[in-house]
């Protein structure tokens, strides 16, 4: 039995060129749209459910698998693959991605991986790129040179990146880095707040939630925000419910 060699991942600079193209003309077209462990960010899920015209509960029930992960404080929301032999993505069709304009960030970014890290003082973000070469992907044989920076722009990643950056202080909150384990109730609150925005909207409208100053909107105004603006407010509000939170992301001594 042949053993598949590990996928090759190499660091790449933002302005360093690589050869790649993808589209119906490549021989492997849609070969990658199956058997994926594709994590949906709250923004991915919101874009997809708007596209599909579903409320959050229906979207999660039909298209998501929620699982704990040993390296993460909070459960991850995965896109559920079909239960057929090839474990296809539910959105792949003969002509390609049927949700193309709203496909998740991971689908857009491949073959580039973008990492972010907070500087030690937590005041700036550093951007790092890697190039991921999957064995089945023939896109690297295409005659098109592009840089990670231009690929990101070409694939419409700007709003996705903006939401990822907003999530970073939450996902890399000092209390999480110190190994804090949320309670089951806090886990539920995380999923409800970020993936079931109707729940957060109801609570804001009912005056149950007092938004922090950094959310830059007050309760009454928040009830009138669109879902994307409200998600940004929710991302800023959630850590304020965690023990020892200070608005600058430090911990009480
Ligand atoms: S969402 Fe679209 S691009 Fe992403 S795996 Fe599914 S079919 Fe492919
Ligand atoms: S395997 Fe690579 S080139 Fe082929 S469709 Fe997927 S991303 Fe594009």
């Amino acid at each position: 039995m042949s053993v598949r060699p590990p996928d090759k991942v190499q660091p790449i600079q933002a302005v360093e060129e690589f050869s790649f193209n993808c589209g119906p003309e490549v021989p492997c077209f849609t070969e990658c749209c199956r058997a994926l462990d594709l994590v949906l960010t709250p923004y991915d899920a919101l874009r997809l459910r708007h596209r599909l015209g579903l409320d959050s509960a229906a979207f999660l029930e039909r298209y998501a698998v929620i699982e704990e992960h040993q390296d993460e404080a909070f459960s991850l929301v995965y896109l559920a693959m079909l239960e057929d032999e090839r474990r296809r993505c539910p959105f792949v069709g003969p002509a390609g991605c049927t949700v193309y304009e709203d496909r998740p960030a991971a689908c857009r970014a491949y073959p580039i991986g973008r990492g972010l890290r907070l500087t030690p003082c937590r005041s700036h973000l550093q951007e790092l790129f890697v190039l991921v070469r999957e064995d089945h992907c023939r896109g690297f044989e295409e005659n098109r040179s592009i840089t990670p920076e231009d690929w990101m722009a070409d694939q419409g990643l700007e709003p996705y990146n903006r939401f990822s950056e907003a999530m970073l202080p939450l996902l890399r909150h000092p209390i999480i880095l110190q190994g804090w384990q949320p309670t089951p109730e806090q886990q539920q609150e995380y999923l409800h707040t970020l993936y079931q925005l109707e729940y957060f909207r109801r609570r804001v409208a009912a005056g149950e939630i007092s938004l922090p100053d950094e959310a830059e909107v007050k309760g009454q105004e928040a009830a009138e925000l669109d879902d994307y603006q409200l998600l940004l407010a929710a991302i800023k509000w959630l850590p304020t419910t965690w023990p020892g939170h200070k608005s600058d992301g430090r911990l009480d001594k």
Side-chain angles (χ1 to χ4, degrees), residues 76-132:
L76 298 178
V77 177
Y78 293 92
L79 180 62
M81 298 290 119
L82 296 177
E83 290 179 4
D84 62 8
E85 205 174 292
R86 287 173 58 80
R87 292 191 57 231
R88 284 175 301 134
C89 171
F91 303 127
V92 69
C97 180
T98 58
V99 293
Y100 187 77
E101 295 78 8
D102 297 291
R103 66 200 187 286
C107 306
R108 290 170 186 266
Y110 182 81
I112 293 298
R114 175 179 181 260
L116 287 174
R117 69 175 171 216
L118 280 167
T119 53
C121 62
R122 298 178 67 82
S123 61
H124 291 92
L125 290 175
Q126 276 179 319
E127 202 176 34
L128 306 163
F129 295 103
V130 290
L131 186 64
V132 181

Side-chain angles (χ1 to χ4, degrees), residues 113-232:
R114 175 179 181 260
L116 287 174
R117 69 175 171 216
L118 280 167
T119 53
C121 62
R122 298 178 67 82
S123 61
H124 291 92
L125 290 175
Q126 276 179 319
E127 202 176 34
L128 306 163
F129 295 103
V130 290
L131 186 64
V132 181
R133 290 176 191 272
E134 300 267 11
D135 293 335
H136 59 258
C137 180
R138 308 278 298 276
F140 296 97
E141 297 163 19
E142 297 289 306
N143 189 21
R144 180 202 191 193
S145 288
I146 192 156
T147 65
E149 211 170 61
D150 289 343
W151 181 254
M152 293 273 144
D154 190 58
Q155 298 297 307
L157 273 151
E158 191 277 327
Y160 292 80
N161 289 347
R162 193 151 32 88
F163 274 83
S164 297
E165 285 159 24
M167 283 288 285
L168 198 66
L170 183 153
L171 295 174
R172 293 290 170 263
H173 192 279
I175 198 173
I176 291 178
L177 297 181
Q178 288 179 12
W180 171 62
Q181 291 295 317
T183 63
E185 292 74 26
Q186 286 162 330
Q187 284 276 1
Q188 273 305 317
E189 185 83 306
Y190 173 89
L191 292 169
H192 274 145
T193 302
L194 301 182
Y195 289 90
Q196 294 196 257
L197 216 50
E198 300 94 333
Y199 163 86
F200 185 69
R201 187 180 288 286
R202 272 197 303 276
R203 293 190 67 198
V204 169
E208 292 172 26
I209 283 176
S210 156
L211 290 173
D213 289 344
E214 60 263 35
E216 291 162 10
V217 277
K218 295 294 163 205
Q220 200 56 39
E221 299 163 25
E224 291 155 19
L225 298 179
D226 71 28
D227 279 350
Y228 297 100
Q229 295 167 316
L230 194 67
L231 178 57
L232 279 176

Side-chain angles (χ1 to χ4, degrees), residues 3-4 21 31-32 44 61 143 186 196 237 245 251:
V3 178
R4 186 180 169 200
N21 205 6
E31 187 52 36
C32 49
D44 287 333
E61 189 182 331
N143 189 21
Q186 286 162 330
Q196 294 196 257
W237 171 76
H245 175 84
L251 292 177

